[in-house]
Amino acid sequence: MPTDQANTWASVALLSPVPDTPQQVEVDADVLAKASALDALRVVGGNALYGRVTISGAKNAALPLLCAAILTRDPVQFTNVPVGLADIKTLSALLISFGVTVGLRSDGVAILRADNIKSTSASYDLVRKMRASILTLGPILAREGHAEVSLPGGCAIGTRPVDIHLGGFEKMGAKISIENGYIKASAPNGLHGAKVELPFPSVGATENIMMAATLAKGKTTIQNAAREPEIVALANCLNSMGAAISGQGTDTISIQGVEQLHGASFEVIPDRIEAGTFMLAVAMTGGKIILEKADIEPLESLVTLLQEAGVSVEEENGFVVVSRDPAKPLKGTDIMTAPFPEFPTDLQAQYMAMLALCEGAGMVTETVFENRFMHVPELNRMGANIRIQGNSAIVRGVEKLSGANVMATDLRASVALVLAGLVADGETTVNRIYHLDRGYENLVDKFRNLGAEVERVKGQ
Ligand code: UD1
């Protein structure tokens, strides 16, 4: 290895054993998507869950963190990365297309080095697979002075525009145009600090603007910023790379721009949505599970509801122990999704699956996305009694669900159907599970280890 390269690598506190140079990953998201597009999960209901499950690093934290590596020429190392997820591979492919060297190791270590950005354009082909690709726009624009990212377009859970991201960049001096389906952003003399007030505390817009502002001239203030733990993690990582960010976790974030960022080593926080999903699973099936590497603090909104429903959630010796006596009825409560710290939209479908089996009736109101009830007709096919009224769903508890052939069109809806299958009478086939591969690492093995009867089969 040439000495200068060796020195660059030495500037990062690398864990051992790590390869001398990052290995370029072989990523073909298309192959991955095709392989799993027709896969299904066969679930046989009725088993209570018992045992231990290790919670993976958070997908929604890892994606922006990998994008942050664009902001420095130095290598950046992440640990606890959910490297098995399709979304991580898709983003890696996009970063590689910019010229970033990406090494993903099976033990969750990712090493990225953006010493030579060769392209500033994110193609439709890669962006359409994953909306989070838009998070490359801020870092590329800040570093190179221009960027071109395909518009992500709509998705199953709503139109999901990116106007809040673009409004922030414009405030920071970028010229933005939309041409042939691409967002073209330029700031030839660099971005400057600005006061940016978000019309809605968008998670992605907060992250994108915060990353871009680290290299802007002067101070940026983001008002009505999102407060999700993934934003705090991103800000902490950027600070360890030399950024000057304060106020993360509150609704006002200040970023004092710096000349350049440097390499760092950072651990991805645990996936609170995966942890919440397992908590809801055991609430539904009964049993007792121990969550390892989980953090319940950011799940307070769910934990309170689970305890009210009759589920025990305790922290013991650094683990989270969740149990429910299957003989006792569950009592459901109304929920309304909203930005953190309120109830997360990413747990709404799973909570509704639990509510379907609770005593009495409950109402689920979705305020974050306008079309996030695709799981309702599928749950009803399994015997649930749910009626949609505007952005609310009224759930009348039933005694039993019954196995059926079902299909979901997004990640969290898919896992909600798996949870329903775990308690339904007979066999449930959840079709087109590539959504699950986007966001849940080793889901089948994790459930099987807890005693569930789940297997991957060829679907329709
Ligand atoms: C992130 C999460 C996603 C989660 C969501 C809300 C990642 C990779 N994904 O998505 O799992 O469900 O937060 O907690 O972290 N909006 C606009 N204009 C914009 C941006 C957003 O109108 O420019 C709207 C969206 O259409 C949506 C709402 O704001 O209705 C919330 O979106 P946002 O918080 O930006 O979610 P994402 O960052 O896309």
Side-chain angles (χ1 to χ4, degrees), residues 60 131 160-165 202-204 345-346 368-369:
N60 286 354
R131 181 182 157 82
R160 298 181 88 175
V162 290
D163 53 320
I164 306 178
H165 302 237
S202 154
V203 173
T345 176
D346 284 351
V368 180
F369 291 107

Side-chain angles (χ1 to χ4, degrees), residues 64 67-68 70-71 131-142 149 162 164-166 168-169 172 183 191 198 202-214 222 231 234 238 255:
C67 296
I70 294 171
L71 292 162
R131 181 182 157 82
S133 307
I134 191 72
L135 295 176
T136 57
L137 181 61
I140 292 276
L141 175 65
V149 174
V162 290
I164 306 178
H165 302 237
L166 303 185
F169 297 139
M172 297 168 74
I183 304 161
L191 295 167
L198 306 185
S202 154
V203 173
T206 303
E207 292 167 344
N208 226 346
I209 295 165
M210 186 165 77
M211 286 191 280
T214 58
I222 309 175
I231 286 171
L234 177 63
L238 290 166
I255 308 112

